[in-house]
Amino acid sequence: MAAGNDRELEEIRIEYLGRSGRLTQIFKNIGNLEEGEKKSIGLLINESKNTLQKLIATQKNKFKETAREWFDPTIPGEAPRTGSLHIITQAIEEIAEVFKQIGFIRMRYPEVDWDWFAFEGLNFDKNHPARDDWETFWLNAPESKKYGTMLLTPHTSNGQIREMQREMQREMQREMQREMQRSKKNLPIRMINIAKCYRRQSDISHTPMFHQFEGLVVDKDINITHLKGVLDYFAKAYFGKGRVTRLRPHNFPFTEPSFEVDITCDICAGRGCRLCKEGWLELAGAGMVHPNVLKNGGIDPKKYTGFAFGTGVERVLMMKSGLKIPDLRLLYSSDLHFLGQF
Ligand code: DAH
C-alpha cells in the first residue's frame, strides 16, 4: 500500500516539478513576459515550488509513519533453515558408539579396492556369483599381478584382510620389542568398519550405493560364544533390552562355520506373528574367520582364531525405527522435504 502511495506522490512531483513539469514549463516561458511581471511571477513560481516540495516531503513521511504503524509483531519471522545430519549418518554414529563401548575401534579402508581384498583373499571361488559383472562395479584400471582388478567395494568385508595385514605389520614390530623385553602380549583385533558399499542394483529396496558395518575380532582362543555374546550385546544395546539373537547355519566363503544371524521380532518378542511368521527377523551374516583368510591376512591360524559379522546400516535402521521408507532411493535423493523429517 505504502509503495503505491509513494509512486503516486512521485508521479505528482514529476508532473509539476519534473524537467518538463508544469511549473518548469512556466519558468521556461518567463522570458516572454513583460519586464514588470517577470519578477513577481518568478517569485510566485519559486514559492509554489517550495510549497509543493514541502508538501510532498511531509506526505512521504506520513506514509512512512503509517507503514511503521502497520507493523504486525505477531506475524512469524522468516526463520533461517537449519541443517541436520543425514539419517544414515545418525545411524552410523549410533552403531559406532554401541561398539565403542566394548572396545571396537572404528576403522576406515579403501572404497576403491582390489579384487584380492574384496574376493580372492576372502576365499571366494573364481566363479562366485558376487563377482559377476551384474553385482560388482569393476573399474577400467590397469590390473595388478598380485591383487587383480580394481573395483568399488561391494561389501565391508574387504576391511578384514586390510585390518589383518595392517595389524600384522604392527605385530611384527611388537614382536621385536617383546623379544627385547621378554614379555608376552597377544595380537588382538577388535575392529568395526562402517562404510559405503556399491552394487549394480537400483529399485525400491536397493540403491547402487548403500552402507554396511562389519566387525572383526582376532585373538588367541576366540570362539563362537564370543561371537554370540557380541551379537546379543549389539541386539540389546541398539534395539532394546528384550532382544536376543540366534545363529542359523549358512555359507560364506570367508567364514567357517558360517551363520545367518536372526534377532527376535520386536512385535511378538519371538513368539511369532504376522510380520515375522516364526518370531525371528534376519539381522546379519557372521561366522568364524576361515583359516585361509587368516593366512591371507598374514596371521597364523594355528595360533589365532577370530570371528566376523556384517550387515546393512539401512537395514538395521529400518528394523529399529519401524520406518517404512516407500522407496529406499529417497534416502540418497537430496530431497529436503523427505530428509528434513529426521
Ligand atoms: N559380506 C557379507 C555380505 O555382504 C556379509 C557378511 C557375512 C559379513 C558373514 C561377515 C560375515 O563378516 O562373517 O553379504
Side-chain angles (χ1 to χ4, degrees):
M1 202 166 87
N5 282 332
D6 275 347
R7 210 181 305 131
E8 278 169 39
L9 259 189
E10 181 60 10
E11 276 165 16
I12 292 172
R13 192 191 64 78
I14 291 170
E15 190 181 341
Y16 289 91
L17 305 174
R19 252 195 247 160
S20 44
R22 291 198 205 183
L23 278 179
T24 323
Q25 288 301 335
I26 299 176
F27 200 70
K28 274 182 192 160
N29 292 330
I30 222 166
N32 302 336
L33 293 175
E34 282 177 26
E35 247 356 88
E37 280 174 333
K38 270 187 192 170
K39 201 177 172 192
S40 57
I41 298 285
L43 280 174
L44 211 58
I45 294 173
N46 265 343
E47 215 172 282
S48 319
K49 210 172 152 184
N50 286 341
T51 315
L52 210 56
Q53 270 171 344
K54 261 186 218 151
L55 276 174
I56 290 176
T58 324
Q59 194 56 35
K60 229 183 196 169
N61 276 341
K62 261 195 199 154
F63 286 155
K64 262 193 207 152
E65 288 296 315
T66 26
R68 234 178 265 144
E69 275 162 28
W70 267 82
F71 174 72
D72 181 352
T74 64
I75 293 173
E78 274 178 35
R81 272 200 174 188
T82 46
S84 62
L85 290 178
H86 191 279
I87 182 174
I88 296 298
T89 309
Q90 294 177 38
I92 288 174
E93 286 187 356
E94 196 179 341
I95 293 163
E97 186 56 36
V98 164
F99 282 104
K100 190 171 154 193
Q101 300 297 323
I102 52 169
F104 280 72
I105 293 169
R106 187 172 171 205
M107 297 297 298
R108 286 286 177 99
Y109 311 100
E111 267 177 47
V112 178
D113 213 343
W114 304 97
D115 174 283
W116 168 263
F117 296 97
F119 294 129
E120 191 73 26
L122 286 173
N123 210 32
F124 273 75
D125 214 69
K126 282 266 184 286
N127 298 318
H128 195 284
R131 284 180 154 174
D132 198 305
D133 266 356
W134 293 107
E135 274 289 326
T136 300
F137 288 103
W138 297 96
L139 296 190
N140 199 355
E143 304 233 336
S144 148
K145 269 212 183 106
K146 202 164 161 198
Y147 297 129
T149 315
M150 289 197 104
L151 44 68
L152 299 185
T153 49
H155 55 177
T156 41
S157 304
N158 67 319
Q160 293 193 23
I161 305 269
R162 286 266 175 206
E163 179 60 23
M164 287 180 202
Q165 289 192 344
R166 199 184 66 82
E167 188 57 32
M168 270 325 285
Q169 284 168 4
R170 285 218 252 120
E171 177 65 4
M172 269 148 59
Q173 286 166 359
R174 274 188 230 128
E175 195 91 47
M176 278 156 58
Q177 283 171 356
R178 245 180 265 148
E179 261 175 39
M180 287 193 289
Q181 292 168 2
R182 296 200 176 284
S183 69
K184 263 199 181 155
K185 217 179 153 214
N186 296 331
L187 155 149
I189 289 176
R190 234 178 273 129
M191 141 323 234
I192 188 88
N193 176 25
I194 314 179
K196 294 191 182 81
C197 300
Y198 305 86
R199 289 184 195 177
R200 284 174 179 253
Q201 53 184 23
S202 183
D203 56 50
I204 57 166
S205 52
H206 296 91
T207 47
M209 189 280 292
F210 59 103
H211 297 80
Q212 285 192 342
F213 62 99
E214 178 105 7
L216 174 71
V217 172
V218 179
D219 204 350
K220 288 198 165 135
D221 304 320
I222 293 292
N223 62 48
I224 294 175
T225 63
H226 298 124
L227 168 63
K228 179 79 164 79
V230 165
L231 291 170
D232 276 341
Y233 160 77
F234 175 73
K236 287 185 174 53
Y238 185 74
F239 290 102
K241 269 186 194 153
R243 314 290 286 273
V244 285
T245 64
R246 75 172 179 190
L247 302 179
R248 229 172 345 101
H250 198 73
N251 172 54
F252 297 105
F254 42 96
T255 40
E256 182 59 37
S258 301
F259 308 103
E260 273 203 319
V261 185
D262 296 335
I263 181 170
T264 40
C265 167
D266 57 329
I267 292 171
C268 63
R271 269 174 261 119
C273 66
R274 260 202 357 208
L275 178 85
C276 65
K277 307 255 165 24
E278 294 183 348
W280 298 90
L281 303 166
E282 267 182 38
L283 177 66
M288 301 306 293
V289 181
H290 196 292
N292 288 349
V293 175
L294 287 170
K295 266 189 237 158
N296 290 336
I299 292 174
D300 184 353
K302 289 199 196 83
K303 280 201 207 149
Y304 294 98
T305 47
F307 67 79
F309 56 87
T311 188
V313 173
E314 290 82 356
R315 181 197 192 101
V316 296
L317 169 68
M318 293 213 258
M319 279 169 75
K320 174 179 172 144
S321 57
L323 251 183
K324 293 237 167 13
I325 296 175
D327 185 336
L328 210 64
R329 290 171 290 198
L330 275 172
L331 278 178
Y332 303 109
S333 65
S334 307
D335 180 350
L336 288 180
H337 292 297
F338 174 73
L339 296 173
Q341 304 173 87
F342 310 111

